[in-house]
Amino acid sequence: AQSVTQLDSHVSVSEGTPVLLRCNYSSSYSPSLFWYVQHPNKGLQLLLKYTSAATLVKGINGFEAEFKKSETSFHLTKPSAHMSDAAEYFCVVSADSGYSTLTFGKGTMLLVSP
Amino acid sequence: DTAVSQTPKYLVTQMGNDKSIKCEQNLGHDTMYWYKQDSKKFLKIMFSYNNKELIINETVPNRFSPKSPDKAHLNLHINSLELGDSAVYFCASSQVSRGPWNGYTFGSGTRLTVV
């Protein structure tokens, strides 16, 4: 069984300040972990993925995440927020490969103010 | 060239009607999925097909019937639509059987509103 907990339903930052979106997971298997972003009325776009290679994963648009097995965390960060980063972010876990389905967190809405 | 395309993008229909949502992927993936996103934006798996064969069927009413004519297509037919079926439905695809698994590619979603 696997589950994901996104610790904040909303995060508000000012443009140019760092972003931290927190995610904890549990999985019976060696997990694959993902962050997806959903802009208003849009589909889901993959930001980055961890699939048992390097623990620090770099994604698109300056985002990165670090897999910490001891803390069962996969927090998403960005050094400097941009207005266009305002969106819903989903942390996702899957058992490694196979037909396993994705288990989504409940999402964190990132609000960016000028 | 869209990798996973769904049609229609929006669908408004009356209770009791039957409707279909189509999904096509041009990535050569062997596995396709339907996910439902509810009003609170929570996403949950409904079905999964691998090479046209149903492999995952979560607890979904029988009114929902997926159909996969070939491995590039996975359509979702819904009978006797109910108000509670209003949601955004996402199609996705994935390459499972060969090479490293890179997760899913999602379509842009179909917003279904039942009135």
Side-chain angles (χ1 to χ4, degrees):
Chain A
Q2 55 208 29
S3 66
V4 176
T5 302
Q6 291 184 243
L7 297 159
D8 306 293
S9 59
H10 292 82
V11 169
S12 295
V13 300
S14 299
E15 193 174 21
T17 63
V19 175
L20 170 63
L21 305 183
R22 299 182 294 165
C23 173
N24 287 101
Y25 71 92
S26 74
S27 176
S28 305
Y29 305 94
S30 175
S32 294
L33 291 156
F34 308 82
W35 277 98
Y36 280 87
V37 61
Q38 185 177 26
H39 286 90
N41 298 315
K42 299 287 186 186
L44 292 151
Q45 181 183 22
L46 179 65
L47 273 181
L48 49 80
K49 62 181 185 286
Y50 166 78
T51 53
S52 73
T55 56
L56 182 61
V57 181
K58 292 190 185 300
I60 61 171
N61 301 334
F63 285 95
E64 63 181 40
E66 186 171 8
F67 173 70
K68 292 187 177 180
K69 187 175 180 179
S70 61
E71 299 176 10
T72 60
S73 69
F74 191 58
H75 301 333
L76 181 70
T77 60
K78 183 173 179 177
S80 176
H82 192 273
M83 294 295 292
S84 61
D85 295 329
E88 188 93 29
Y89 291 79
F90 294 95
C91 183
V92 183
V93 66
S94 177
D96 192 24
S97 72
Y99 303 118
S100 61
T101 56
L102 300 184
T103 299
F104 281 75
K106 294 192 174 182
T108 298
M109 174 63 75
L110 176 64
L111 305 166
V112 182
S113 56
Chain B
D1 207 16
T2 306
V4 180
S5 60
Q6 296 179 228
T7 53
K9 193 172 174 66
Y10 300 95
L11 183 54
V12 181
T13 187
Q14 290 188 325
M15 274 192 341
N17 284 350
D18 303 337
K19 290 293 177 185
S20 291
I21 307 171
K22 295 186 176 181
C23 180
E24 176 182 3
Q25 55 99 0
N26 63 5
L27 298 167
H29 287 169
D30 59 5
T31 307
M32 295 184 72
Y33 312 80
W34 279 108
Y35 276 75
K36 179 180 180 180
Q37 185 175 41
D38 63 24
S39 58
K40 296 185 179 178
K41 302 211 172 167
F42 185 61
L43 280 132
K44 192 170 180 187
I45 183 76
M46 298 174 70
F47 302 102
S48 173
Y49 269 73
N50 175 263
N51 285 321
K52 304 193 298 174
E53 186 177 334
L54 180 66
I55 54 170
I56 293 173
N57 183 353
E58 290 295 308
T59 307
V60 175
N62 291 338
R63 299 181 294 102
F64 290 78
S65 54
K67 293 224 172 12
S68 182
D70 56 61
K71 73 174 191 176
H73 295 83
L74 180 61
N75 304 323
L76 183 64
H77 189 75
I78 315 170
N79 289 327
S80 303
L81 278 154
E82 300 178 357
L83 293 176
D85 297 332
S86 296
V88 181
Y89 293 85
F90 284 97
C91 178
S93 72
S94 173
Q95 180 59 38
V96 169
S97 62
R98 278 194 323 276
W101 190 61
N102 287 315
Y104 294 12
T105 302
F106 281 89
S108 57
T110 295
R111 183 175 295 276
L112 171 65
T113 304
V114 182
V115 297

